[in-house]
Amino acid sequence: MTSEITGTGRTPSLGGLATMLASATSSQVGAAVGAQAFATVGPAGVVAVRQLVAAAVLLPAVRPDLRRFTWPQWWPTLLLGVVFATMNLSLYSAVDRIGLGLAVTLEFLGPLAVALAGSRTRLDLACVAGAAVGVYLLVLPGPASDLPGVGLGLLAGACWAAYILLNRLLGSRLPGLQAPAAATAVSALACLPVAVVLLVQGRLHGGGVLFAAVAGLLSSVVPYAADLIVLRRVPARLFGVVMSVHPVLAALAGLVLLHQVLDPHEWAGIAIVVAVNAFAVAARAGGPASDGAGSDGAGSDGATPDGPTL
């Protein structure tokens, strides 16, 4: 994810498209790798290690001057740090219960909601109805449904929406990546007690830590760098449309790396949500809503949709 999308409308190169897809793939592969550490450190442990790794890389790279932050800059930064931690914890907890593809698709409703918020046009109302149909097919509510897992996925989506709105605010108050870098540090500090408990319990070692650290690199650091490059070269509308593939990539990563096989109705629900988001972004090209839709992602970490999530 990025704090601001500034596409210019120029025709993107194949390299730009490849970079966007590589960023999205890295984010979802990182999430799948992190899920492999659940048995050792649990979702909370993965989030803690991931946030610590992201902060260790981003703070030296961005070097935000925290001593010069004013209160109007600090309070949304602190809130963004809480959103990062909550978004990642709810997403990974949802992944643990309902699988990566379903969890990321539900999370993706956050940026879609921001893109459609406040609109009363028939087109946007049709998008809302389409998204509702997609979610229904995805979940097929019944006695066997994991409703807590669904709720966690929706909470991650709400956090993603909050992430977009806070980034819009901070984009006018802090330059560059200072706000996301500082917020990542806040999130890492909030997660530090979890890491300490795991260390005392003797669980913070071996493959679990390695998987969580790799998740931090693939789902946070790589998308940050890739999106910073690509957003200077492609239109915001195209970025938002391409980011719509995150749920599909999440489902594929879950299938290949976690052996999570989806039913046909789940694939249908994912396809509908992806199509609705892509259509909504394309139809609202050039407006502020397209910025919001593009900013997110799975999953990502302030760098891409992971969002996406930090």
Side-chain angles (χ1 to χ4, degrees), residues 9 41 48 104 151 157 193 219 236 250 269:
V41 299
V104 170
S219 295

Side-chain angles (χ1 to χ4, degrees), residues 198-213:
L198 291 173
L199 184 63
V200 171
Q201 293 176 343
R203 297 168 57 192
L204 204 60
H205 63 82
V209 173
L210 178 61
F211 284 137

Side-chain angles (χ1 to χ4, degrees), residues 195-296:
V196 172
V197 170
L198 291 173
L199 184 63
V200 171
Q201 293 176 343
R203 297 168 57 192
L204 204 60
H205 63 82
V209 173
L210 178 61
F211 284 137
V214 170
L217 293 172
L218 293 181
S219 295
S220 300
V221 179
V222 171
Y224 257 126
D227 290 352
L228 277 176
I229 295 171
V230 81
L231 285 172
R232 297 189 180 101
R233 302 180 181 178
V234 304
R237 176 186 58 148
L238 180 62
F239 182 85
V241 171
V242 174
M243 289 301 98
S244 299
V245 304
H246 270 274
V248 175
L249 293 174
L252 293 174
L255 175 64
V256 174
L257 298 178
L258 303 175
H259 310 293
Q260 296 173 346
V261 180
L262 299 182
D263 293 329
H265 71 86
E266 293 171 327
W267 280 110
I270 290 173
I272 291 174
V273 171
V274 168
V276 167
N277 185 80
F279 182 76
V281 173
R284 298 166 68 84
S290 65
D291 286 354
S295 290
D296 152 260

Side-chain angles (χ1 to χ4, degrees), residues 7 53-54 65 88 149 168 181 228 232 236 269:
V53 169
D65 193 351
N88 281 286
R168 286 181 180 173
L228 277 176
R232 297 189 180 101

Side-chain angles (χ1 to χ4, degrees), residues 1 27-28 30-31 50 87-88 91-92 100 103-105 107-108 156 160 215 219-220 223 246 250 296-310:
M1 299 182 196
S27 181
Q28 300 309 327
R50 176 177 166 177
M87 180 166 58
N88 281 286
L91 176 63
Y92 275 109
L100 183 60
V104 170
T105 304
E107 183 195 31
F108 210 73
W160 196 347
S219 295
S220 300
H246 270 274
D296 152 260
S300 201
D301 256 15
T304 74
D306 174 10
T309 52
L310 272 173

